[in-house]
Short mmCIF file of all heavy atoms in Angstrom, two decimals:
data_model
loop_
_atom_site.label_atom_id
_atom_site.label_comp_id
_atom_site.label_asym_id
_atom_site.label_seq_id
_atom_site.Cartn_x
_atom_site.Cartn_y
_atom_site.Cartn_z
N ALA J 37 -106.23 78.67 94.54
CA ALA J 37 -105.61 77.58 93.78
C ALA J 37 -106.43 76.30 93.95
O ALA J 37 -107.00 76.06 95.01
CB ALA J 37 -104.19 77.33 94.26
N GLU J 38 -106.50 75.54 92.91
CA GLU J 38 -107.15 74.24 92.93
C GLU J 38 -106.10 73.18 92.60
O GLU J 38 -105.18 73.44 91.82
CB GLU J 38 -108.28 74.18 91.89
CG GLU J 38 -109.47 75.04 92.22
CD GLU J 38 -110.21 74.58 93.46
OE1 GLU J 38 -110.32 73.36 93.69
OE2 GLU J 38 -110.66 75.45 94.23
N PRO J 39 -106.23 71.99 93.16
CA PRO J 39 -105.24 70.94 92.85
C PRO J 39 -105.37 70.46 91.42
O PRO J 39 -106.46 70.40 90.86
CB PRO J 39 -105.58 69.83 93.84
CG PRO J 39 -107.00 70.05 94.20
CD PRO J 39 -107.24 71.53 94.09
N ASP J 40 -104.24 70.16 90.83
CA ASP J 40 -104.16 69.63 89.48
C ASP J 40 -103.35 68.34 89.56
O ASP J 40 -102.36 68.28 90.30
CB ASP J 40 -103.46 70.66 88.58
CG ASP J 40 -103.35 70.21 87.13
OD1 ASP J 40 -104.11 69.31 86.71
OD2 ASP J 40 -102.50 70.77 86.43
N ARG J 41 -103.76 67.33 88.83
CA ARG J 41 -103.03 66.06 88.79
C ARG J 41 -102.58 65.83 87.35
O ARG J 41 -103.25 65.13 86.60
CB ARG J 41 -103.91 64.94 89.29
CG ARG J 41 -104.24 65.07 90.76
CD ARG J 41 -105.03 63.87 91.28
NE ARG J 41 -105.31 64.03 92.68
CZ ARG J 41 -106.39 64.64 93.17
NH1 ARG J 41 -107.28 65.15 92.36
NH2 ARG J 41 -106.55 64.74 94.46
N PRO J 42 -101.44 66.40 86.97
CA PRO J 42 -101.02 66.36 85.57
C PRO J 42 -100.43 65.03 85.08
O PRO J 42 -100.26 64.86 83.89
CB PRO J 42 -99.97 67.47 85.48
CG PRO J 42 -99.44 67.61 86.87
CD PRO J 42 -100.56 67.23 87.78
N TRP J 43 -100.14 64.09 86.00
CA TRP J 43 -99.51 62.84 85.57
C TRP J 43 -100.42 61.66 85.82
O TRP J 43 -100.72 61.33 86.97
CB TRP J 43 -98.19 62.64 86.31
CG TRP J 43 -97.23 63.75 86.07
CD1 TRP J 43 -96.51 63.97 84.94
CD2 TRP J 43 -96.90 64.80 86.97
NE1 TRP J 43 -95.75 65.11 85.08
CE2 TRP J 43 -95.97 65.64 86.32
CE3 TRP J 43 -97.29 65.12 88.28
CZ2 TRP J 43 -95.43 66.76 86.93
CZ3 TRP J 43 -96.76 66.24 88.87
CH2 TRP J 43 -95.83 67.05 88.20
N LEU J 44 -100.85 61.00 84.75
CA LEU J 44 -101.73 59.84 84.88
C LEU J 44 -101.07 58.70 85.65
O LEU J 44 -101.73 57.98 86.38
CB LEU J 44 -102.16 59.35 83.49
CG LEU J 44 -103.04 60.31 82.70
CD1 LEU J 44 -103.31 59.76 81.30
CD2 LEU J 44 -104.34 60.58 83.43
N ASN J 45 -99.76 58.54 85.47
CA ASN J 45 -99.06 57.44 86.14
C ASN J 45 -98.73 57.75 87.60
O ASN J 45 -98.19 56.89 88.30
CB ASN J 45 -97.80 57.03 85.37
CG ASN J 45 -96.84 58.18 85.19
OD1 ASN J 45 -97.23 59.35 85.19
ND2 ASN J 45 -95.57 57.87 85.01
N HIS J 46 -99.05 58.96 88.07
CA HIS J 46 -98.85 59.35 89.47
C HIS J 46 -100.13 60.04 89.97
O HIS J 46 -100.15 61.26 90.19
CB HIS J 46 -97.66 60.28 89.63
CG HIS J 46 -96.35 59.65 89.30
ND1 HIS J 46 -95.74 58.73 90.13
CD2 HIS J 46 -95.54 59.78 88.23
CE1 HIS J 46 -94.61 58.33 89.58
NE2 HIS J 46 -94.47 58.95 88.43
N PRO J 47 -101.20 59.29 90.17
CA PRO J 47 -102.48 59.91 90.53
C PRO J 47 -102.50 60.61 91.89
O PRO J 47 -103.37 61.43 92.14
CB PRO J 47 -103.47 58.74 90.50
CG PRO J 47 -102.63 57.52 90.69
CD PRO J 47 -101.29 57.84 90.08
N ARG J 48 -101.53 60.32 92.76
CA ARG J 48 -101.49 60.98 94.08
C ARG J 48 -100.63 62.23 94.07
O ARG J 48 -100.56 62.95 95.06
CB ARG J 48 -100.99 60.00 95.14
CG ARG J 48 -102.04 58.95 95.49
CD ARG J 48 -101.67 58.05 96.65
NE ARG J 48 -100.90 58.60 97.73
CZ ARG J 48 -101.38 59.22 98.81
NH1 ARG J 48 -102.68 59.42 98.93
NH2 ARG J 48 -100.58 59.67 99.76
N PHE J 49 -99.98 62.54 92.96
CA PHE J 49 -99.19 63.77 92.87
C PHE J 49 -100.15 64.92 92.57
O PHE J 49 -100.92 64.85 91.63
CB PHE J 49 -98.16 63.68 91.75
CG PHE J 49 -96.95 62.83 92.06
CD1 PHE J 49 -96.97 61.83 93.00
CD2 PHE J 49 -95.78 63.04 91.37
CE1 PHE J 49 -95.86 61.05 93.28
CE2 PHE J 49 -94.65 62.27 91.62
CZ PHE J 49 -94.69 61.27 92.58
N GLU J 50 -100.09 65.98 93.38
CA GLU J 50 -100.95 67.14 93.18
C GLU J 50 -100.10 68.40 93.04
O GLU J 50 -99.20 68.63 93.84
CB GLU J 50 -101.88 67.36 94.37
CG GLU J 50 -102.97 66.34 94.50
CD GLU J 50 -103.89 66.67 95.67
OE1 GLU J 50 -103.40 66.88 96.80
OE2 GLU J 50 -105.11 66.71 95.44
N VAL J 51 -100.42 69.18 92.04
CA VAL J 51 -99.76 70.47 91.81
C VAL J 51 -100.73 71.57 92.20
O VAL J 51 -101.91 71.54 91.81
CB VAL J 51 -99.36 70.62 90.32
CG1 VAL J 51 -98.84 72.02 90.04
CG2 VAL J 51 -98.36 69.55 89.92
N PHE J 52 -100.24 72.52 92.96
CA PHE J 52 -101.01 73.74 93.25
C PHE J 52 -100.31 74.88 92.53
O PHE J 52 -99.10 75.05 92.66
CB PHE J 52 -101.08 74.00 94.75
CG PHE J 52 -101.92 73.00 95.48
CD1 PHE J 52 -101.35 71.89 96.06
CD2 PHE J 52 -103.29 73.16 95.55
CE1 PHE J 52 -102.13 70.95 96.73
CE2 PHE J 52 -104.09 72.22 96.21
CZ PHE J 52 -103.49 71.11 96.80
N ARG J 53 -101.08 75.61 91.74
CA ARG J 53 -100.50 76.69 90.94
C ARG J 53 -101.36 77.93 91.01
O ARG J 53 -102.54 77.87 91.32
CB ARG J 53 -100.29 76.24 89.49
CG ARG J 53 -101.56 75.86 88.78
CD ARG J 53 -101.35 75.47 87.32
NE ARG J 53 -101.15 74.04 87.17
CZ ARG J 53 -100.30 73.50 86.32
NH1 ARG J 53 -99.59 74.23 85.52
NH2 ARG J 53 -100.19 72.20 86.24
N HIS J 54 -100.74 79.06 90.68
CA HIS J 54 -101.46 80.33 90.61
C HIS J 54 -102.46 80.28 89.46
O HIS J 54 -102.14 79.76 88.39
CB HIS J 54 -100.49 81.48 90.38
CG HIS J 54 -99.57 81.75 91.52
ND1 HIS J 54 -99.87 82.62 92.53
CD2 HIS J 54 -98.34 81.25 91.82
CE1 HIS J 54 -98.88 82.66 93.40
NE2 HIS J 54 -97.95 81.84 92.99
N ASN J 55 -103.63 80.85 89.69
CA ASN J 55 -104.63 80.90 88.62
C ASN J 55 -104.24 81.84 87.49
O ASN J 55 -104.51 81.58 86.33
CB ASN J 55 -105.99 81.33 89.18
CG ASN J 55 -106.64 80.25 90.01
OD1 ASN J 55 -106.41 79.07 89.81
ND2 ASN J 55 -107.45 80.65 90.97
N ASN J 56 -103.56 82.94 87.83
CA ASN J 56 -103.28 83.95 86.80
C ASN J 56 -102.06 83.64 85.94
O ASN J 56 -102.04 83.97 84.77
CB ASN J 56 -103.15 85.33 87.43
CG ASN J 56 -102.01 85.42 88.44
OD1 ASN J 56 -101.42 84.43 88.82
ND2 ASN J 56 -101.74 86.63 88.88
N ASN J 57 -101.04 82.99 86.49
CA ASN J 57 -99.84 82.74 85.68
C ASN J 57 -99.50 81.26 85.52
O ASN J 57 -98.55 80.91 84.84
CB ASN J 57 -98.63 83.50 86.25
CG ASN J 57 -98.21 83.01 87.61
OD1 ASN J 57 -98.64 81.97 88.10
ND2 ASN J 57 -97.35 83.78 88.26
N GLN J 58 -100.26 80.42 86.18
CA GLN J 58 -100.12 78.96 86.10
C GLN J 58 -98.80 78.42 86.68
O GLN J 58 -98.46 77.27 86.48
CB GLN J 58 -100.31 78.46 84.66
CG GLN J 58 -101.70 78.70 84.11
CD GLN J 58 -102.77 78.04 84.96
OE1 GLN J 58 -102.77 76.83 85.13
NE2 GLN J 58 -103.67 78.83 85.52
N LYS J 59 -98.04 79.27 87.37
CA LYS J 59 -96.79 78.80 87.99
C LYS J 59 -97.10 77.97 89.23
O LYS J 59 -97.97 78.32 90.02
CB LYS J 59 -95.90 79.98 88.37
CG LYS J 59 -95.27 80.65 87.19
CD LYS J 59 -94.31 81.72 87.65
CE LYS J 59 -93.65 82.40 86.49
NZ LYS J 59 -92.69 83.41 86.93
N TRP J 60 -96.35 76.90 89.40
CA TRP J 60 -96.49 76.05 90.57
C TRP J 60 -95.93 76.74 91.80
O TRP J 60 -94.90 77.39 91.73
CB TRP J 60 -95.71 74.77 90.40
CG TRP J 60 -96.03 73.92 89.24
CD1 TRP J 60 -96.89 74.17 88.21
CD2 TRP J 60 -95.47 72.63 88.96
NE1 TRP J 60 -96.89 73.12 87.33
CE2 TRP J 60 -96.02 72.17 87.77
CE3 TRP J 60 -94.54 71.84 89.62
CZ2 TRP J 60 -95.70 70.94 87.22
CZ3 TRP J 60 -94.22 70.62 89.07
CH2 TRP J 60 -94.79 70.16 87.90
N PHE J 61 -96.58 76.55 92.94
CA PHE J 61 -95.99 76.97 94.20
C PHE J 61 -95.90 75.80 95.17
O PHE J 61 -95.18 75.88 96.16
CB PHE J 61 -96.72 78.18 94.82
CG PHE J 61 -98.15 77.93 95.21
CD1 PHE J 61 -98.48 77.49 96.48
CD2 PHE J 61 -99.17 78.18 94.31
CE1 PHE J 61 -99.79 77.29 96.84
CE2 PHE J 61 -100.50 77.98 94.67
CZ PHE J 61 -100.81 77.53 95.94
N ALA J 62 -96.57 74.70 94.88
CA ALA J 62 -96.47 73.51 95.72
C ALA J 62 -96.75 72.27 94.88
O ALA J 62 -97.68 72.25 94.08
CB ALA J 62 -97.47 73.58 96.88
N LEU J 63 -95.93 71.25 95.09
CA LEU J 63 -96.11 69.95 94.45
C LEU J 63 -96.11 68.91 95.56
O LEU J 63 -95.10 68.72 96.24
CB LEU J 63 -94.97 69.67 93.45
CG LEU J 63 -94.85 68.26 92.92
CD1 LEU J 63 -96.11 67.81 92.20
CD2 LEU J 63 -93.64 68.15 91.99
N VAL J 64 -97.26 68.27 95.78
CA VAL J 64 -97.42 67.27 96.82
C VAL J 64 -97.27 65.89 96.19
O VAL J 64 -97.89 65.60 95.17
CB VAL J 64 -98.78 67.40 97.52
CG1 VAL J 64 -98.93 66.38 98.64
CG2 VAL J 64 -98.98 68.81 98.05
N MET J 65 -96.42 65.06 96.81
CA MET J 65 -96.12 63.74 96.24
C MET J 65 -95.99 62.71 97.35
O MET J 65 -95.80 63.06 98.51
CB MET J 65 -94.78 63.76 95.49
CG MET J 65 -94.63 64.82 94.45
SD MET J 65 -92.92 64.89 93.82
CE MET J 65 -92.12 65.83 95.11
N ASP J 66 -96.03 61.46 96.96
CA ASP J 66 -95.60 60.37 97.83
C ASP J 66 -94.45 59.68 97.11
O ASP J 66 -94.58 59.29 95.95
CB ASP J 66 -96.73 59.42 98.19
CG ASP J 66 -97.40 58.78 97.00
OD1 ASP J 66 -97.42 59.39 95.90
OD2 ASP J 66 -97.92 57.66 97.13
N ILE J 67 -93.31 59.59 97.78
CA ILE J 67 -92.11 59.03 97.17
C ILE J 67 -91.44 58.08 98.17
O ILE J 67 -91.68 58.19 99.37
CB ILE J 67 -91.12 60.14 96.74
CG1 ILE J 67 -90.68 60.99 97.94
CG2 ILE J 67 -91.73 61.01 95.64
CD1 ILE J 67 -89.60 62.01 97.63
N PRO J 68 -90.58 57.18 97.68
CA PRO J 68 -89.83 56.35 98.62
C PRO J 68 -88.86 57.21 99.44
O PRO J 68 -88.24 58.13 98.91
CB PRO J 68 -89.05 55.39 97.70
CG PRO J 68 -89.74 55.45 96.39
CD PRO J 68 -90.35 56.83 96.29
N LYS J 69 -88.75 56.91 100.72
CA LYS J 69 -87.83 57.66 101.59
C LYS J 69 -86.41 57.63 101.05
O LYS J 69 -85.66 58.59 101.23
CB LYS J 69 -87.87 57.10 103.01
CG LYS J 69 -89.15 57.41 103.75
CD LYS J 69 -89.10 56.86 105.17
CE LYS J 69 -90.36 57.21 105.94
NZ LYS J 69 -90.29 56.71 107.32
N SER J 70 -86.05 56.55 100.38
CA SER J 70 -84.69 56.42 99.84
C SER J 70 -84.38 57.52 98.84
O SER J 70 -83.21 57.90 98.67
CB SER J 70 -84.50 55.05 99.21
OG SER J 70 -85.41 54.87 98.13
N LYS J 71 -85.38 58.09 98.18
CA LYS J 71 -85.16 59.19 97.23
C LYS J 71 -84.69 60.46 97.94
O LYS J 71 -84.16 61.36 97.31
CB LYS J 71 -86.43 59.50 96.44
CG LYS J 71 -86.93 58.37 95.59
CD LYS J 71 -86.07 58.17 94.38
CE LYS J 71 -86.68 57.11 93.47
NZ LYS J 71 -85.85 56.82 92.33
N LEU J 72 -84.89 60.51 99.26
CA LEU J 72 -84.46 61.66 100.05
C LEU J 72 -83.16 61.35 100.80
O LEU J 72 -82.71 62.15 101.62
CB LEU J 72 -85.55 62.06 101.05
CG LEU J 72 -86.89 62.47 100.45
CD1 LEU J 72 -87.91 62.70 101.55
CD2 LEU J 72 -86.74 63.70 99.56
N GLY J 73 -82.61 60.19 100.54
CA GLY J 73 -81.38 59.79 101.22
C GLY J 73 -81.63 59.12 102.56
O GLY J 73 -80.70 58.93 103.34
N LEU J 74 -82.89 58.78 102.85
CA LEU J 74 -83.22 58.12 104.10
C LEU J 74 -83.11 56.60 103.93
O LEU J 74 -83.38 56.08 102.85
CB LEU J 74 -84.65 58.50 104.54
CG LEU J 74 -84.86 59.99 104.78
CD1 LEU J 74 -86.34 60.29 105.04
CD2 LEU J 74 -84.02 60.47 105.96
N PRO J 75 -82.74 55.89 104.98
CA PRO J 75 -82.49 54.45 104.88
C PRO J 75 -83.75 53.59 104.92
O PRO J 75 -83.92 52.76 105.80
CB PRO J 75 -81.60 54.17 106.09
CG PRO J 75 -82.05 55.17 107.10
CD PRO J 75 -82.41 56.40 106.30
N SER J 76 -84.65 53.80 103.98
CA SER J 76 -85.88 53.03 103.93
C SER J 76 -86.50 53.15 102.54
O SER J 76 -86.36 54.17 101.88
CB SER J 76 -86.87 53.54 104.99
OG SER J 76 -88.11 52.90 104.86
N ALA J 77 -87.21 52.11 102.15
CA ALA J 77 -87.95 52.16 100.88
C ALA J 77 -89.42 52.48 101.12
O ALA J 77 -90.21 52.54 100.18
CB ALA J 77 -87.81 50.83 100.15
N ASP J 78 -89.80 52.70 102.40
CA ASP J 78 -91.18 53.06 102.71
C ASP J 78 -91.53 54.37 102.03
O ASP J 78 -90.67 55.22 101.80
CB ASP J 78 -91.38 53.22 104.22
CG ASP J 78 -91.24 51.92 104.99
OD1 ASP J 78 -91.31 50.85 104.36
OD2 ASP J 78 -91.03 51.98 106.21
N MET J 79 -92.81 54.56 101.74
CA MET J 79 -93.28 55.78 101.10
C MET J 79 -93.47 56.88 102.14
O MET J 79 -93.80 56.61 103.30
CB MET J 79 -94.60 55.54 100.36
CG MET J 79 -94.49 54.50 99.25
SD MET J 79 -93.34 54.95 97.95
CE MET J 79 -94.38 56.01 96.97
#
Side-chain angles (χ1 to χ4, degrees):
E38 291 294 323
D40 181 20
R41 293 184 179 90
W43 301 285
L44 294 176
N45 57 334
H46 295 286
R48 287 187 34 87
F49 284 24
E50 289 183 308
V51 173
F52 291 95
R53 62 177 93 218
H54 292 270
N55 288 333
N56 61 350
N57 66 12
Q58 296 301 301
K59 287 186 180 181
W60 302 5
F61 63 91
L63 167 59
V64 181
M65 307 171 280
D66 58 332
I67 60 174
K69 288 182 178 182
S70 61
K71 298 287 185 183
L72 300 174
L74 299 173
S76 174
D78 293 343
M79 299 299 277

